[in-house]
Structure formats: structure tokens, C-alpha cells
């Protein structure tokens, strides 16, 4: 394999460790490579800042600003990697500016505390499937865990310390967060583990797949299955709010802050680098807006 080609593949296999980032950046770079080929640019060494600028401009006509910024970041990082590997002399994407995009409020749908209670209460826990789903949804709500961190847990990541259940979450960037469980979450996890018999298998996934409602293997529940499960449970509970797995992260943070919690503590629990990121999940102003709208009486 030519040196340039090897360096290209090393960018994704060596330089990027997070599988989700690797997948997203690979898709972005493939899109740019296809565009270059269509324009007669068969070698990345022939790409100029003008080429990148035109591509970004065209991409902005069909994609959202955050998507365009992500694609530009992927292209810029790839060229940086090629420059440091002495494949190219300079980075043609370095001077190209992406679209301005400022976010003060996240778009993730949030459940009220009442809706969250209704969702959990509507789950039939007379089956293994119900016990697993309730424990998983509660985990994401009470600990602000990302779906990937939740499905990646092993049985040993739920443990007892000082007479209280604790969870160990492996979040993005290699961060490990250990949190005590809310008493409800403690109960839900205990009931799921006891019914499934997983307590004697510390290395097994905490949330495995179930075939026809039975635990037959030890395959971690795929994230796509979690998203489908959430939609099914929301419909069964009669919720009209459109939610995703990320909604429980936002719901937990908002409820915590509404009850007097501190933003910096929520930041630590969520594993965010900055409080500003955590603030995007704070939807307390939604309730303020609802209250104010009711003042408009005709």
C-alpha cells in the first residue's frame, strides 16, 4: 500500500478511538472524496483551499449547519494528519471557515417528572423484558448516562458500597464515572439482576438481548434496539412527547436542577468538559415559558 494510502487509513484506525466519531468522520471524508473525484481531483494533494470552500458552500445548501461544521472538522483533521505524516505540505482546509452556529438550548425532547413516572409505571414488570427495560430507562434518567455507556455496562459495574448500590459508567473520551444509585434505581437494578440470574456473571453485559423474552446468550443490547424499545414503551404509556434515548439525559439533568441541584455537580455527573454543555440540557425555562403564556388571557 502506498504511504499516502496507509496514512489515510491510519487516520481512522490509529488517530480516532471513539467508534461513533470514527463512523461519522469516515462518512464525512467519503462524501468529500466522492465530490473531489466528480470534479476530476484524483489526488488529495491537488486539493486547494478554494476546493474545500466550494464544497462547504454546496454542502450548506442541503445539510444543517452543525452537520456542515462536523464535515469540515473531519476534513481539516484528515489533512492535518496527512501534513504531520509528510504526505502533504500544507492543510488546504485550515483557512476555510465554516458556517456560524450558536446554540443556547438543546433540541432534545424532555419529559416532565410526571411523564417519567408514568413511563416507568406503565412497564409490565412481570416479565424479564419489562424488568430489563425499566432498569435501563431508569439508569439513563437517574444517572444522566449516554445510551452507549448504559449498554456497555457489565454486571460488575453495579456494585454495593456503604450499603448503597453504585454504578460505574464508561463514558466518551475514556472517562469513568462512579455514582451512587437513587433508591428507585437501586431497586430496579436489583430486581432485574435477581430475576435474570446474572448476579453470578460479573463479566456479562448488564443489559443483554433477550430472545422471545428469554435470556439465551450474553450479547449486549444494541443501541438501535434501545431506541426502538423506547418508542414502543412511550407509545404504551400514552406519551405524546417525541423522545429518544438522549431525552432521559436531558430529563434527569433538568429535574435535578429544578429540585435545587447545582449545575457544576450535574456537569460532573454527566461527564461534560464544561458547564456550558450541561446547560444545553437545562430546560427549566420551558416551564417558565409555559407559565408566562398562560398570562395571555383574552
Amino acid at each position: 500500500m502506498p504511504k499516502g494510502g496507509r496514512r489515510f487509513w491510519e487516520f481512522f484506525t490509529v488517530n480516532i478511538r471513539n467508534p461513533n466519531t470514527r463512523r461519522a468522520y469516515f462518512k464525512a471524508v467519503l462524501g468529500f472524496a466522492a465530490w473531489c473525484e466528480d470534479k476530476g481531483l484524483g489526488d488529495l494533494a491537488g486539493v486547494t483551499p478554494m476546493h474545500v470552500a466550494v464544497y462547504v458552500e454546496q454542502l450548506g445548501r442541503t445539510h444543517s449547519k452543525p452537520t456542515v461544521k462536523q464535515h469540515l472538522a473531519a476534513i481539516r483533521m484528515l489533512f492535518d494528519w496527512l501534513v504531520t505524516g509528510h504526505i502533504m505540505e500544507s492543510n488546504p482546509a485550515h483557512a476555510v471557515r465554516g458556517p456560524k452556529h450558536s446554540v443556547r438550548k438543546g433540541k432534545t425532547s424532555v419529559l416532565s417528572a410526571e411523564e417519567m413516572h408514568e413511563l416507568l409505571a406503565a412497564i409490565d414488570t412481570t416479565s424479564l423484558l419489562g424488568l430489563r427495560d425499566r432498569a435501563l430507562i431508569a439508569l439513563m434518567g437517574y444517572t444522566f448516562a449516554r445510551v452507549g455507556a448504559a449498554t456497555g455496562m457489565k454486571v460488575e459495574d453495579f456494585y454495593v458500597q456503604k450499603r448503597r448500590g453504585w454504578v460505574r459508567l464508561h463514558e466518551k473520551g475514556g472517562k469513568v464515572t462512579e455514582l451512587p444509585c437513587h433508591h428507585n434505581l437501586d431497586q430496579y437494578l436489583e430486581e432485574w439482576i435477581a430475576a435474570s440470574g446474572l448476579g453470578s456473571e460479573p463479566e456479562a453485559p448488564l443489559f443483554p438481548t433477550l430472545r422471545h423474552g428469554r435470556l439465551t446468550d450474553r450479547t449486549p443490547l444494541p443501541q438501535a434496539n434501545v431506541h426502538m424499545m423506547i418508542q414502543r414503551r412511550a407509545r404504551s404509556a400514552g406519551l405524546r412527547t417525541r423522545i429518544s434515548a438522549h431525552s432521559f439525559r436531558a430529563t434527569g439533568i433538568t429535574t435535578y436542577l429544578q429540585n435545587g441541584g447545582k449545575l457544576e455537580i450535574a456537569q460532573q455527573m454527566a461527564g461534560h468538559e464544561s458547564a456550558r454543555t450541561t446547560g444545553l440540557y437545562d430546560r427549566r425555562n420551558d416551564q417558565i415559558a409555559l407559565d408566562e403564556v398562560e398570562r395571555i388571557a383574552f
Side-chain angles (χ1 to χ4, degrees), residues 175-241:
K175 295 179 182 176
V176 179
T177 304
E178 295 183 283
L179 299 168
C181 294
H182 184 279
H183 63 272
N184 287 341
L185 176 58
D186 196 354
Q187 175 189 337
Y188 298 159
L189 288 171
E190 288 281 8
E191 291 179 356
W192 154 241
I193 291 175
S196 65
L198 288 171
S200 60
E201 302 178 42
E203 291 292 324
L206 182 58
F207 301 107
T209 57
L210 298 176
R211 293 184 179 275
H212 305 294
R214 301 176 64 183
L215 181 60
T216 58
D217 56 28
R218 300 297 183 269
T219 304
L221 188 64
Q223 292 188 29
N225 292 38
V226 176
H227 290 287
M228 290 188 290
M229 177 271 287
I230 289 169
Q231 302 307 315
R232 186 175 68 254
R233 294 298 183 186
R235 287 194 300 269
S236 297
L239 299 183
R240 298 181 64 184
T241 303

Side-chain angles (χ1 to χ4, degrees), residues 120-173:
L120 292 170
I123 298 176
D124 178 11
T125 55
T126 60
S127 66
L128 275 182
L129 193 63
L131 288 170
R132 184 201 65 185
D133 293 353
R134 183 181 64 172
L136 177 54
I137 290 174
L139 175 78
M140 292 188 288
Y142 282 115
T143 68
F144 318 158
R146 294 179 177 87
V147 63
T151 57
M153 290 180 67
K154 296 181 179 180
V155 174
E156 64 185 2
D157 289 323
F158 173 61
Y159 58 94
V160 176
Q161 180 175 273
K162 297 180 180 179
R163 300 183 180 180
R164 172 64 72 88
W166 286 63
V167 291
R168 183 185 300 108
L169 300 168
H170 298 266
E171 291 282 4
K172 290 198 306 184

Side-chain angles (χ1 to χ4, degrees), residues 111 116 119 137 140-141 230 243-252:
L111 295 174
M116 187 68 174
L119 176 61
I137 290 174
M140 292 188 288
I230 289 169
I243 60 174
S244 65
H246 223 53
S247 296
F248 301 114
R249 187 170 172 85
T251 298

Side-chain angles (χ1 to χ4, degrees), residues 44-119:
L44 289 178
V47 176
T48 67
M50 185 175 294
H51 290 126
V52 180
V54 172
Y55 176 72
V56 168
E57 183 72 22
Q58 292 184 4
L59 198 65
R61 298 171 188 167
T62 56
H63 294 70
S64 66
K65 290 181 179 180
T67 299
V68 174
K69 289 175 72 70
Q70 183 191 61
H71 280 236
L72 179 57
I75 295 168
R76 188 178 288 144
M77 283 184 61
L78 171 63
F79 281 124
D80 273 341
W81 181 254
L82 295 177
V83 169
T84 57
H86 306 290
I87 305 300
M88 300 178 65
E89 293 184 0
S90 62
N91 184 343
H94 181 72
V96 178
R97 298 182 63 181
K100 291 184 178 180
H101 181 64
S102 179
V103 178
R104 295 185 179 181
K105 175 182 175 181
K107 295 183 178 180
T108 305
S109 298
V110 177
L111 295 174
S112 66
E114 293 76 17
E115 287 177 311
M116 187 68 174
H117 176 76
E118 291 171 5
L119 176 61

